[in-house]
């Protein structure tokens, strides 16, 4: 089992989750954080810290977030580790609570190229 960040994080990045993670399992992209499943020790500390309730155990993902584990796994390989809390995104309050934000996920061109190379 591992934990995964779902689309509630997109355009918010409140990053309360980062401070409590004992293994630095979070990775930061342009408008979302993800968890590296190989670094997550399933402690569950991050889940209650997220004001967006965007973090779930992979065994407990909502139906409309079924792809979150795959997205976390792929992007954690490409994005850098984040160890410290950061300021939320400028329009975080506007995007707070909006459902299924996956179409808004930003993936840099270089990361897309890596994904293509890997396939
Ligand atoms: Fe880190 Fe624990 Fe959350 Fe896994 S469950 S990402 S180890 S805080
Ligand atoms: Fe995102 Fe929630 Fe962490 S909004 S950055 S998963 S605290």
């Amino acid at each position: 089992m591992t934990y995964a960040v779902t689309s509630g994080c997109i355009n918010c990045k409140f990053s309360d989750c980062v401070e409590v993670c004992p293994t630095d399992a979070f990775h930061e992209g342009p408008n979302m954080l993800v968890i590296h499943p190989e670094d997550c020790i399933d402690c569950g500390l991050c889940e209650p810290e997220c004001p967006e309730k965007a973090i779930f155990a992979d065994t407990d993902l909502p139906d409309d977030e079924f792809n979150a584990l795959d997205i976390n796994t792929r992007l954690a390989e490409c994005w850098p580790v984040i160890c410290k809390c950061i300021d939320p995104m400028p329009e975080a309050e506007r995007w707070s609570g909006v459902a299924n934000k996956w179409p808004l996920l930003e993936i840099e061109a270089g990361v897309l190229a890596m994904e293509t190379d890997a396939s």
Side-chain angles (χ1 to χ4, degrees):
M1 195 180 92
T2 180
Y3 280 71
V5 183
T6 61
S7 69
C9 181
I10 293 173
N11 285 354
C12 290
K13 289 208 293 191
F14 286 109
S15 79
D16 305 66
C17 54
V18 172
E19 289 285 332
V20 299
C21 181
T23 64
D24 295 341
F26 284 90
H27 294 245
E28 183 185 12
N31 69 342
M32 179 185 184
L33 268 56
V34 293
I35 293 169
H36 199 307
E38 290 181 11
D39 292 332
C40 177
I41 58 171
D42 308 331
C43 69
L45 289 173
C46 56
E47 182 182 354
E49 295 299 317
C50 177
E52 291 303 306
K53 302 194 185 317
I55 302 175
F56 291 84
D58 64 345
T59 52
D60 209 16
L61 286 167
D63 288 344
D64 59 352
E65 297 282 350
F66 70 92
N67 55 352
L69 178 58
D70 185 46
I71 291 171
N72 278 240
T73 302
R74 288 165 176 262
L75 293 179
E77 289 288 337
C78 306
W79 288 345
V81 171
I82 174 171
C83 304
K84 298 278 182 202
C85 195
I86 56 172
D87 288 338
M89 295 199 71
E91 299 200 32
E93 294 303 330
R94 176 187 162 209
W95 289 105
S96 174
V98 176
N100 201 345
K101 292 182 278 184
W102 286 123
L104 304 171
L105 177 62
E106 292 179 21
I107 304 175
E108 314 91 313
V111 170
L112 279 175
M114 288 176 67
E115 285 281 289
T116 304
D117 291 347
S119 62

